[in-house]
């Protein structure tokens, strides 16, 4: 099997609505890893990094599935149909698909930003044994306010538009994607204390970092990544997010725990 | 109708999603190329929305990642960029031919995708498979008219003069010496000859330029200023959308763009018994 043949794109789930790419690993694996994508523009920005991470994990002997939620990427559904509970169901469906394809029961997950929140929230139903979270959203209402402010700045941005656009042309959207009121409400209600703690928390928020210690008291489970990731900079919303140190950190952590 | 995922190509290194509606024989297949380094879903999922809408109208589609972009790898061949782009599109056409029986195709490309579509379309045998091309923010050149429209209003704007002076002083101070990496665009005369060749070979062209490239293009008249009377030929459709940005970040702008492309396709490549098929 060539490297390309080991990365298989396919549709799965009920009515084949979900798109995923399975990265097979050579040899018998002790665990598999599910990559949970962030939502909206962060999904597009992280696509390359998720592919690199999946390839690196597979090369380390860990089979991986990365996939798109309903309404995201290549999966069925329109962008304005993205639903928080459906995303959680999709993670459970994807975890089952990964178990079936890899013949491995132990499934860990990695998620960036809202992908981390989704993985943490879906952990019980998807029976995820281990979670790596990269800059999860700890205060949903503040995050919603940030995205609203970015969206308002975007429509006024004369580097992008010749003239500022009317507020009505940009309402109900965050950085290129329509957002339905239900999703907006669920994101606004996110609170750290309601989440399962990850086995590794990767922080690259810099000065904007919250106090992680109440949530993750063990310093060994907190990894500070430099440089900071420009998640919420208007001028860089169409710039890919890449981080070789992140890939190295996650692979090292998950490989170590695969044999623990 | 359900989409299908494929790994395909001469080295099975390409990844794409085909929309395969039940179609009448002879339907053109629409192939959407990568916009910059964004993977096949396109900026803000533009390519997903576009291909699904075209599938509803009965057009088979393929959105795919070209070599080394998105989920596609390298073919392992020693090829020039032009050879690689043409070979990737050939592979895409072969896939749609195999699964939707298409023998004629339309390419859609935004930005670098438009450049790549141009590369394929200017091949002297392109008309053997290609029927049309949609260039979104394709090649553009600053013309005399552009300069008049761009600079005249600025001459009497004190704020702009101040910003210009500040910028220049920073450049003198060393702030403007960062290296610039980019692909040199083709000369205007070459592109004009290329477009003429495409039209002489029977291709139909749809050019849609946005206000997002207003540093190079700022009026509907500029199509003719750039490419001459070619733009008056019946096989050419041009549209300048001043209010929108380069990547169509607003939902309604994307919807209007898709409506424009579907209307152009239906006008030029109608599908027999077109209708909803999802």
């Amino acid at each position: 099997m060539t490297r390309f043949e080991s990365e298989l794109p396919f549709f799965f789930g009920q009515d084949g609505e979900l798109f995923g790419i399975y990265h097979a690993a050579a040899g018998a694996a002790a665990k598999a890893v599910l990559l949970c994508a962030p939502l909206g523009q962060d999904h597009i920005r992280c696509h390359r990094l998720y592919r690199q991470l999946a390839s690196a994990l597979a090369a380390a002997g860990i089979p991986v599935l990365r996939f798109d939620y309903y309404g995201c990427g290549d999966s069925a559904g329109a962008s304005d149909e993205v639903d928080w509970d459906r995303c959680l169901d999709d993670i459970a469906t994807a975890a089952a698909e990964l178990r079936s394809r890899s013949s491995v029961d132990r499934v860990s997950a990695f998620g960036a930003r809202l992908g981390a929140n989704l993985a943490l929230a879906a952990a019980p139903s998807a029976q995820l044994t281990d979670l790596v979270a990269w800059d999860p959203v700890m205060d949903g209402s503040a995050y919603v306010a940030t995205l609203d402010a970015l969206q308002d700045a975007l429509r006024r941005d004369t580097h992008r538009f010749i003239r500022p656009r009317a507020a009505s042309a940009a309402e109900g959207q965050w950085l290129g994607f329509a957002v339905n009121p239900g999703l907006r409400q669920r994101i606004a209600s996110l609170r750290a204390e309601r989440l399962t703690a990850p086995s590794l928390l990767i922080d690259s928020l810099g000065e904007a970092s919250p106090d992680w210690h109440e949530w993750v008291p063990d310093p060994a489970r907190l990894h500070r990544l430099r440089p900071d990731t420009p998640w919420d900079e208007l001028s860089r919303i169409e710039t890919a997010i890449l981080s070789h140190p992140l890939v190295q950190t996650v692979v090292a952590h998950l490989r170590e725990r695969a044999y623990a | 109708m359900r989409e299908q995922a494929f790994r395909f190509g001469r080295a099975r290194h390409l990844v794409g999603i085909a929309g395969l509606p039940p179609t009448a024989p002879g339907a053109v297949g629409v192939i959407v190329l990568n916009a910059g380094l964004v993977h096949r879903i396109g900026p803000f999922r533009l390519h997903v929305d576009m291909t699904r809408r075209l599938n509803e109208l009965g057009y088979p589609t393929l959105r795919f990642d070209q070599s080394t972009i998105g989920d596609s790898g390298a073919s392992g061949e020693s090829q020039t960029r032009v050879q690689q782009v043409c070979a990737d599109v050939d592979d895409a056409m072969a896939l749609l031919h195999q699964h939707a029986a298409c023998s004629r195709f339309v390419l859609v490309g935004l930005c670098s995708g438009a450049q790549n579509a141009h590369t394929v379309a200017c091949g002297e045998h392109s008309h053997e498979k290609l029927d049309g091309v949609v260039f979104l923010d394709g090649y553009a050149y600053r013309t005399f008219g552009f300069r008049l429209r761009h600079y005249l209003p600025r001459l009497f704007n004190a704020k702009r003069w101040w910003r210009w002076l500040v910028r220049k002083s920073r450049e003198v101070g060393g702030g403007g010496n960062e290296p610039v990496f980019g692909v040199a665009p083709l000369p205007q005369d070459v592109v004009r000859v290329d477009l003429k060749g495409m039209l002489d070979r029977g291709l139909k062209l749809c050019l849609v330029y946005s206000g997002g490239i207003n540093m190079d293009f700022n009026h509907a008249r500029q199509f003719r200023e750039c490419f001459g009377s070619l733009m008056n030929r019946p096989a050419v459709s041009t549209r300048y959308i001043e209010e929108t940005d380069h990547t169509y970040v607003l939902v309604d702008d994307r919807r209007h763009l898709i409506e424009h492309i579907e209307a152009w396709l239906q006008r030029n490549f109608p599908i027999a018994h077109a209708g909803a098929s999802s």
Side-chain angles (χ1 to χ4, degrees):
Chain A
M1 188 162 55
T2 66
R3 187 185 148 217
F4 297 140
E5 297 290 349
S6 69
E7 295 177 15
L8 179 69
F10 62 101
F11 284 94
F12 66 100
Q14 189 177 6
D15 298 326
E17 289 179 330
L18 301 179
F19 172 80
I21 294 189
Y22 176 64
H23 295 248
K31 78 188 305 183
V33 173
L34 182 67
L35 300 189
C36 299
L39 299 179
Q41 183 60 3
D42 284 344
H43 175 196
I44 291 180
R45 297 181 72 190
C46 286
H47 178 269
R48 191 73 178 180
L49 183 144
Y50 269 55
R51 183 182 177 213
Q52 290 173 340
L53 177 57
S55 298
L57 286 166
I62 302 173
V64 176
L65 177 64
R66 54 195 170 98
F67 75 104
D68 298 333
Y69 312 107
Y70 185 85
C72 300
D74 286 306
S75 287
S79 300
D80 62 0
E81 293 180 299
V82 176
D83 175 84
W84 189 265
D85 289 332
R86 173 70 200 256
C87 289
L88 300 182
D89 291 345
D90 291 346
I91 290 175
T93 303
E97 184 71 26
L98 177 55
R99 287 189 181 92
S100 166
R101 286 182 179 264
S102 64
S103 303
V104 175
D105 273 342
R106 284 181 63 201
V107 172
S108 299
F110 165 85
R113 296 301 269 163
L114 287 173
N117 292 76
L118 286 163
L120 293 162
S125 61
Q127 299 178 319
L128 304 174
T129 56
D130 188 10
L131 298 159
V132 176
W134 180 23
D135 291 341
V137 174
M138 304 301 282
D139 181 344
S141 58
Y143 186 60
V144 163
T146 298
L147 290 175
D148 282 345
L150 278 170
Q151 178 69 8
D152 194 54
L154 179 143
R155 77 168 177 87
R156 297 170 188 269
D157 183 5
T158 50
H159 293 292
R160 177 176 288 274
F161 299 107
I162 289 180
R163 281 177 289 280
R165 301 294 295 270
S168 58
E171 69 183 2
Q173 302 163 50
W174 282 333
L175 308 183
F177 291 89
V179 180
N180 66 64
L183 180 66
R184 179 188 170 88
Q185 192 177 1
R186 288 300 294 267
I187 293 173
S189 68
L190 292 174
R191 298 287 180 276
E193 58 273 19
R194 297 179 193 163
L195 294 172
T196 314
S199 69
L200 180 66
L201 173 65
I202 301 172
D203 164 37
S204 65
L205 295 173
E207 290 181 2
S209 295
D211 181 7
W212 302 108
H213 294 96
E214 284 187 20
W215 189 42
V216 180
D218 180 359
R221 288 165 59 187
L222 177 61
H223 179 88
R224 293 204 186 273
L225 191 70
R226 294 292 177 266
D228 302 343
T229 306
W231 296 108
D232 301 325
E233 286 181 25
L234 184 64
S235 62
R236 299 172 80 169
I237 65 164
E238 294 189 70
T239 305
I241 288 173
L242 298 168
S243 173
H244 191 58
L246 177 109
V247 172
Q248 288 179 316
T249 302
V250 176
V251 172
H253 176 77
L254 290 172
R255 186 164 51 185
E256 183 183 310
R257 292 177 73 89
Y259 303 107
Chain B
M1 189 218 73
R2 221 184 290 160
E3 294 177 326
Q4 291 182 39
F6 289 97
R7 174 167 289 290
F8 66 101
R10 55 209 181 277
R12 288 187 58 74
H13 63 302
L14 303 175
V15 170
I17 307 293
L20 305 170
T23 52
V28 295
V30 180
I31 295 171
V32 185
L33 307 179
N34 292 109
L37 296 177
V38 179
H39 72 293
R40 63 195 167 274
I41 70 170
F44 314 112
R45 229 171 163 226
L46 169 67
H47 298 173
V48 175
D49 294 340
M50 184 191 302
T51 50
R52 288 180 182 169
R53 175 62 189 148
L54 297 180
N55 295 154
E56 286 175 6
L57 298 170
Y59 295 96
T61 61
L62 178 70
R63 54 178 189 272
F64 81 106
D65 291 323
Q66 294 166 248
S67 295
T68 71
I69 299 177
D71 290 313
S72 291
S75 68
E77 301 160 300
S78 176
Q79 291 181 316
T80 64
R81 193 191 72 82
V82 169
Q83 288 171 330
Q84 178 189 290
V85 168
C86 291
D88 286 354
V89 172
D90 253 357
D91 286 342
M93 289 175 174
L95 184 80
L96 266 192
H97 176 68
Q98 183 184 350
H99 293 276
C102 297
S103 55
R104 311 292 306 167
F105 301 91
V106 167
L107 298 180
V108 180
L110 166 63
C111 191
S112 68
Q115 287 189 11
N116 288 332
H118 183 100
T119 297
V120 174
C122 67
E124 59 183 271
H125 297 292
S126 65
H127 60 287
E128 291 170 9
K129 292 180 182 171
L130 207 55
D131 268 348
V133 186
V134 178
F135 296 115
L136 305 176
D137 286 351
Y139 287 108
Y141 303 91
R142 294 183 178 188
T143 58
F144 179 69
F146 167 88
R147 290 186 171 87
L148 280 181
R149 293 185 292 271
H150 185 79
Y151 292 113
L152 262 186
R154 288 164 168 77
L155 269 180
F156 308 102
N157 187 320
K159 271 187 189 172
R160 287 185 183 278
W161 277 107
W162 174 248
R163 284 205 297 265
W164 183 83
L165 286 169
V166 169
R167 195 167 62 242
K168 285 293 167 192
S169 68
R170 280 185 191 147
E171 284 172 13
V172 170
N177 293 330
E178 289 185 13
V180 174
F181 299 97
V183 178
L186 290 174
Q188 184 173 357
D189 290 346
V190 171
V191 169
R192 190 182 297 199
V193 169
D194 287 347
L195 293 174
K196 180 177 183 306
M198 293 174 205
L199 292 167
D200 289 346
R201 291 194 301 278
L203 271 63
K204 292 179 176 169
L205 308 180
C206 174
L207 289 75
V208 183
Y209 286 27
S210 74
I213 57 167
N214 70 87
M215 291 307 291
D216 291 307
F217 196 96
N218 59 11
H219 198 279
R221 275 198 294 272
Q222 202 171 332
F223 288 112
R224 194 180 150 88
E225 292 169 3
C226 285
F227 306 121
S229 58
L230 287 174
M231 296 293 102
N232 294 341
R233 290 206 195 175
V236 178
S237 158
T238 60
R239 183 162 184 207
Y240 174 56
I241 312 175
E242 183 186 44
E243 68 274 16
T244 194
D245 63 318
H246 179 51
T247 48
Y248 298 84
V249 72
L250 298 179
V251 170
D252 279 348
D253 289 348
R254 289 201 293 280
R255 185 168 54 78
H256 292 143
L257 173 68
I258 292 169
E259 286 170 356
H260 180 78
I261 292 171
E262 74 182 55
W264 178 80
L265 277 168
Q266 288 185 302
R267 207 164 50 242
N268 289 284
F269 311 104
I271 294 221
H273 314 297
S277 57
S278 55

